[in-house]
Amino acid sequence: MQLSELSRRSGVSAASIKYYLREGLLPPGVTVSARKAEYDEDHLRRLRLIRALLTVGGMSVAQARDVLAASHDPAFDRHTRLGVAQYLLPPHVTAPPEDTPEGATWRERRGEVLTLLRDDLGWQIHDGAPALDALTEALTTLDSLGYATATASLRDYAVALRPIAEKELAIVDEHPAIDEAIEAVVAHTVLYEPVLLSLRRLAHEDVSARLHPPA
Amino acid sequence: MQLSELSRRSGVSAASIKYYLREGLLPPGVTVSARKAEYDEDHLRRLRLIRALLTVGGMSVAQARDVLAASHDPAFDRHTRLGVAQYLLPPHVTAPPEDTPEGATWRERRGEVLTLLRDDLGWQIHDGAPALDALTEALTTLDSLGYATATASLRDYAVALRPIAEKELAIVDEHPAIDEAIEAVVAHTVLYEPVLLSLRRLAHEDVSARLHPPA
DNA sequence: GAGCAAGGATAGTGCCACTATCTTTCTATG
DNA sequence: CATAGAAAGATAGTGGCACTATCCTTGCTC
């Protein structure tokens, strides 16, 4: 199909598709002639994924490009590529400078969390996992606002989320083809986040309605 | 304290503080004279909350302003204000137009989810809850990519999140002062989201390491 | 072979979160 | 008392981002 048809079937403007092509999010089609390029169903699928990452996932174009590129890099094996894709996903937080008081408490907090997850819960996680930094950042921010987060409640969260993670990984492993699996990881990691957060808010509403019944 | 000291103690540039004052995120200080305004500890605290909403929470300045404004609106009672704060929080999705095929499936999906939560799980949730739209949007997007989400797994998510929501609401109810409670709701709703998502990703890593042990 | 639509390149647009500058006002100091 | 200097406030500017509008070339069609 031509670019115009790709645009029509995806609902994305032709100008935007050209933009994604320029930015390397969408691989170029087969150039048939100087005024005709051929795109296939894979392009359509990829385009839908791109739009999902940008809108539902809230990622930037640059982030989406990096994730999509890394997830198709043949230099890595299956397990690594699955991890690389996840490690590249936002958010990315950087630790505060080491020589400041904030930096010291930050690092201390990070160590506590790592100990909880590794030693207490027995999770096998890498020391440099970006999610660990994001978690530390959120916790220290809450601390600075006076909302101390007990290690115990953090453990409750972790325990509640563990079975969910197992189910999700099982779904990914149903895809034998590596490219499909990668896409499944990216899609599940990013697109299930709003599912999780929405359900949490709805649960809040239910609990609140029970605690404070409206008149 | 003066604006310059507020800047120094918060780490936010004086120019940015002026910007937040202009945009109505931060209430003005007491004008002592034309070149001197007095700020107090509440301003410092509010400023920290603003920064947290913008950076950790990923909200826009306009969204933060609306949430902060509504949460201090005396026209609402405690329960309503807690809800209003949450309803105003992003993301906000709009349903597709009713007369399109996508609009029809979207609405159908929304109805299914509502039935699951209300009739099956017995949750008391409002029909117009924005989280319901966000949830529907995420699910239909996943559907369009070929990842059908079984109602059963959605129920698993909901069941896993329910106890977390209970704990969180209990913490909020520890604050008798309404302003403190509002701030607690906003802070918990927004700032615990990265906690939840980070822990989920770390759980993924652990599960993946067990399924595919690295060499 | 004239018209026209598709592709590709390039410059422009609108929004956002600041940020730099300018002016006014006050106060501390010689 | 004069004046330098600093704080507030107003206003205009900046840089990044995600597109988007325009222009030009090319080649198919009638």
Side-chain angles (χ1 to χ4, degrees), chain B residues 124-196:
Chain B
Q124 295 178 23
I125 52 181
H126 191 246
D127 185 40
L132 202 53
D133 293 329
L135 180 55
T136 305
E137 182 69 21
L139 292 177
T140 51
T141 302
L142 280 160
D143 279 351
S144 79
L145 287 169
Y147 302 109
T149 313
T151 306
S153 71
L154 206 59
R155 174 213 290 270
D156 291 339
Y157 276 73
V159 169
L161 288 169
R162 185 66 214 272
I164 287 180
E166 280 175 21
K167 280 191 223 310
E168 290 174 335
L169 265 284
I171 292 172
V172 169
D173 275 346
E174 285 172 10
H175 295 270
I178 178 71
D179 274 10
E180 283 181 18
I182 294 288
E183 193 195 285
V185 163
V186 172
H188 277 82
T189 303
V190 175
L191 303 181
Y192 266 107
E193 292 188 349
V195 172
L196 209 64

